[in-house]
Amino acid sequence: MSDFHCWAADRIAGAVGSGEVTAETVARHFLERIDRLDDKVGAFLQVDTQGAIEQARAVDRDIAAGKPPGPMSGVPVGIKDNICTRGLPTTCASRILEGFVSPYDAEVVKRLRDAGAVILGKLNLDEFAMGSSCENSGLGRTVNPWDPDRVPGGSSGGSAAAVAAGLATITLGSDTGGSIRQPAALCGVVGLKPTYGRVSRFGLIAFASSLDQIGPFAMDISGVALTLSVLAGEDPQDSTCIAASVPDYLGTLEGSLEGKKIGIPREYFEFEMHAGISQCVERAAQVYRDLGVEVVEVPMPHTKHAIATYYLVANAEASSNLARYDGVHYGHRNQEAKELVEMSCRSRSEGFGDEVQRRIMLGTFALSSGYYDAYYLRALKVRQLIRQDFDAAFEQVDALLCPTSPIPAFRMGEKVEDPMQMYLCDIMTAPASLAGVPAISVPCGFVEEEGRSLPVGLHLVSRPFEEETLLGIARAFEVRYEGSGRMPAEVL
Ligand code: GLN
């Protein structure tokens, strides 16, 4: 049996592009694994077996006909189910969108297809990307491949678990306050949130539009670098996606760290965190010092306000974005209601889960007259102060380093009854989202809990549109970390 699930994306693309293996062979390998393992993992909401084989055959035909192979030829990918895919359901893991089939591809999906990638299916998430454990999904249950009694993180839990379990080489997620980075950390894979404006959101179902970004997951940094080169770049369909040039992120990975400086944001380490996690992160900082990188402490004084600010801004925007699910335009409609307002109310109450309803109410409250200035407007001002913390830090250093999550994967059910505890999972990731800067989570160690090894993620953050620097710095650590590429025993 081959081990394509242990191959990096560029290796698969190279082998398929040169005709050494067919895209169909690779696709069948992954489909067989999904068939065998996903009952346990629960990463996929939809598997497009037939469609994947057809796409793979089309890639093989083009290559046999001598067409230049795309940069992701035959690479099996999975898509978070809040990103539109033509002909497949796109549900946001919500009952309100159950059965909705998008008539078009999101720009990122189109770019992946054009690059030769093969789309295997759609991945589970917290409903409308609201959550940190995937337990808010209205349609499926995803577990952490390192310990099936624990959560994979969220909201892109399916995307992280699929890569960790070797069910896809690359997956896409979306990150509003940490939803790519935190599940990447909890599942022991690499997850990148690009700069706000780096990747088109056309076809991403909106949660909080001033924060949402799409980004890739992979087992290693080369995978996210290759995928970012395919995804990034201007898109006239998304006016926030800017016309900055797109470097060859994969080709520039091995650059030198000479002259680079890394900052440790002091305030991040004042929060309570698992002792094993701070040790792993301290060891990672030492790896950089040993490489000759100057590592200094930097102040980020507004960090403690990030969670409150994030949950005001994100919920306010969500309450507005989710107004479109009214029982008229999309999805679920209550059949018993006698008039329009009742129909909308009942459709929304039946279709949305508890957490989504909580956020719509909180967001509506923060935007309502009399409270707007005290909550929403004030949150915007604090957001500006948080941005300024990053600006000031990046005058001194090229990247910031901290844990991605203060805790490892927690037990299923442990936090569902306590939304505040769930929100605190975003403490390390939400500030970078508010500032719009790029950030990555890279595996950096394990902690032992009840006889299980649970992965730890290192969070690196850099200046806007400097993903090249970010990836280079992350790569320097990855090659020196002995746990890179380790997969959970159960799925090998
Ligand atoms: N956990 C955060 C939330 O619940 C982040 C979600 C996200 O980034 N989509 O809002």
Side-chain angles (χ1 to χ4, degrees), residues 129-132 155 175-179 207 310-311 359 426:
M130 297 173 182
S132 300
S155 64
D175 190 311
T176 305
S179 275
F207 162 11
Y310 168 78
Y311 278 91
R359 292 190 188 210
D426 307 323

Side-chain angles (χ1 to χ4, degrees), residues 6 45 70 142 150 180 182 211 269 307 338 350 388 418 441 444 461 472 485:
C6 301
L45 289 175
T142 306
R150 292 176 188 265
I180 291 176
Q182 185 258 14
L211 295 154
F269 290 83
I307 289 290
K338 302 273 182 299
E350 290 161 2
Q388 287 166 4
D418 189 347
S441 182
C444 74
V461 186

Side-chain angles (χ1 to χ4, degrees), residues 80 82 126 128-133 136 154-156 174-182 207 212 310-311 314-315 355 359 422-423 425-426 429 433:
K80 185 176 181 179
N82 60 351
D126 285 296
F128 282 98
M130 297 173 182
S132 300
S133 70
N136 294 338
S155 64
S156 315
S174 65
D175 190 311
T176 305
S179 275
I180 291 176
R181 294 159 284 157
Q182 185 258 14
F207 162 11
D212 297 339
Y310 168 78
Y311 278 91
N315 291 351
E355 179 61 22
R359 292 190 188 210
M422 199 69 97
Y423 298 170
C425 295
D426 307 323
T429 51
S433 298

Side-chain angles (χ1 to χ4, degrees), residues 2 4 16 20-31 56 60 74:
S2 57
F4 295 127
V16 170
E20 191 189 315
V21 290
T22 65
E24 184 177 347
T25 311
V26 177
R28 286 191 186 278
H29 174 83
F30 280 87
L31 291 165
D60 291 334

Side-chain angles (χ1 to χ4, degrees), residues 46-52 54-55 81 83-91 99-106 109 113 119 121-122:
Q46 291 287 330
V47 181
D48 186 18
T49 307
Q50 206 44 47
E54 279 163 21
Q55 289 169 68
D81 206 24
I83 299 174
C84 289
T85 38
R86 186 166 30 86
L88 285 181
T90 297
T91 64
F100 171 72
V101 176
S102 167
Y104 65 92
D105 273 335
V109 172
R113 289 194 205 273
I119 291 161
K122 305 300 291 286

Side-chain angles (χ1 to χ4, degrees), residues 248-459:
D248 171 9
Y249 294 110
L250 185 58
T252 52
L253 265 189
E254 314 293 339
S256 141
L257 293 190
E258 212 180 302
K260 294 275 185 280
K261 267 172 101 171
I262 292 182
I264 300 205
R266 194 182 315 121
E267 288 77 3
Y268 284 58
F269 290 83
E270 287 166 6
F271 299 115
E272 209 177 304
M273 71 174 80
H274 189 292
I277 291 185
S278 54
Q279 279 162 19
C280 288
V281 170
E282 182 41 50
R283 273 202 300 275
Q286 191 54 42
V287 167
Y288 286 111
R289 286 190 200 98
D290 293 346
L291 282 168
V293 174
E294 194 180 339
V295 180
V296 294
E297 267 199 10
V298 290
M300 303 282 284
H302 298 94
T303 304
K304 60 178 176 297
H305 303 301
I307 289 290
T309 307
Y310 168 78
Y311 278 91
L312 277 162
V313 172
N315 291 351
E317 294 183 18
S319 72
S320 160
N321 274 326
L322 271 57
R324 71 191 65 168
Y325 306 101
D326 52 7
V328 176
H329 293 94
Y330 309 91
H332 173 74
R333 176 183 298 178
N334 174 280
Q335 300 298 332
E336 283 104 54
K338 302 273 182 299
E339 46 82 29
L340 186 66
V341 174
E342 187 197 353
M343 187 280 288
S344 249
C345 286
R346 288 177 66 171
S347 301
R348 285 166 71 78
S349 303
E350 290 161 2
F352 289 135
D354 290 350
E355 179 61 22
V356 174
Q357 295 194 35
R358 177 182 294 120
R359 292 190 188 210
I360 292 172
M361 287 190 275
L362 287 168
T364 305
F365 179 77
L367 288 174
S368 56
S369 96
Y371 296 100
Y372 182 95
D373 290 2
Y375 293 106
Y376 182 64
L377 199 60
R378 188 173 295 181
L380 292 186
K381 290 176 184 166
V382 181
R383 181 177 189 175
Q384 189 54 29
L385 295 172
I386 292 169
R387 280 207 186 101
Q388 287 166 4
D389 279 358
F390 281 92
D391 291 346
F394 289 137
E395 278 178 17
Q396 278 187 56
V397 297
D398 301 283
L400 295 163
L401 173 155
C402 65
T404 309
S405 164
I407 48 169
F410 43 95
R411 291 192 160 277
M412 293 272 176
E414 194 179 306
K415 295 184 195 288
V416 269
E417 300 304 328
D418 189 347
M420 265 311 287
Q421 285 304 314
M422 199 69 97
Y423 298 170
L424 286 171
C425 295
D426 307 323
I427 212 155
M428 306 281 164
T429 51
S433 298
L434 290 163
V437 294
I440 194 167
S441 182
V442 189
C444 74
F446 288 88
V447 294
E448 301 299 320
E449 289 283 324
E450 294 157 356
R452 291 274 186 169
S453 296
L454 303 175
V456 176
L458 175 70
H459 192 221

